[in-house]
Amino acid sequence: MVSGGGTNLQALIDCQKEKGLGGGEIVAVISNRKAAYALERAANAGIPGYYVGGKGLDNDEYSRKLDELLESEVKPDLIVLAGFLRIFSEEFSNKYAGKIINIHPSLIPSFCGDGMYGLRVHEAALAKGVKVSGATVHFVSAGTDEGPIILQKSAEVKAGDTPEELQKRIMVECEWKLLPQAVTLFCEGRLSIENGIVNIKD
Ligand code: GRF
């Protein structure tokens, strides 16, 4: 699921082509924005793309609309939020517990939660003066960015960084590596959750 440029989606597409995704296959790309470049990346890779608009819908209504498509056509084993900027209803999150993963551009629990997305995350990290930041892949639960952590990777914050520079470094060094890795682990059946903690089998 995507909302924007889709560079994380591209990392998944490339990984599937080059190394396989642990046997997984990207069966559909769903966007809540019609103009998302990510949909073009999907088309270029021969992956069915869907636009599921959410204008005027609250999170419950949007989640139900999305679930209709998932149930009737896509039937996914895993839902990957690759830069998807909408929150799901509690009902949806619970229904797909352990089957939705998200990538967040900070080291959770820093700089996350409601309203923390895109450049705001990096602005907050710079305002705090942290010397490292990074990215986190986690399972999605009902609370924003609160689900069990799967993988994290850090990147250096350099003196004088702009939010854009930090965002780019974290994408290149962390996000584009972590998301394919986490999806691969899931598809290989190596992830389990126990008491809110993710175990990774060797
Ligand atoms: C990434 O920074 C991701 O962590 C965040 O949204 C951005 C998506 O970028 N959730 P892209 O669409 O994958 O290029």
Side-chain angles (χ1 to χ4, degrees), residues 73-109:
E73 286 193 45
V74 180
K75 301 182 173 71
D77 299 303
L78 174 66
I79 299 166
V80 181
L81 309 184
F84 181 68
L85 300 179
R86 261 204 90 127
I87 304 287
F88 295 131
S89 67
E90 199 173 332
E91 189 188 352
F92 185 96
S93 303
N94 290 339
K95 174 172 174 181
Y96 290 100
K99 291 182 176 171
I100 313 177
I101 67 177
N102 180 46
I103 179 128
H104 181 78
S106 76
L107 296 173
I108 288 176

Side-chain angles (χ1 to χ4, degrees), residues 98 139 148-149 190-201:
F139 282 110
I149 291 171
R190 291 166 62 193
L191 300 179
S192 60
I193 308 171
E194 215 178 301
N195 300 323
I197 304 290
V198 173
N199 296 313
I200 303 176
K201 281 186 221 112

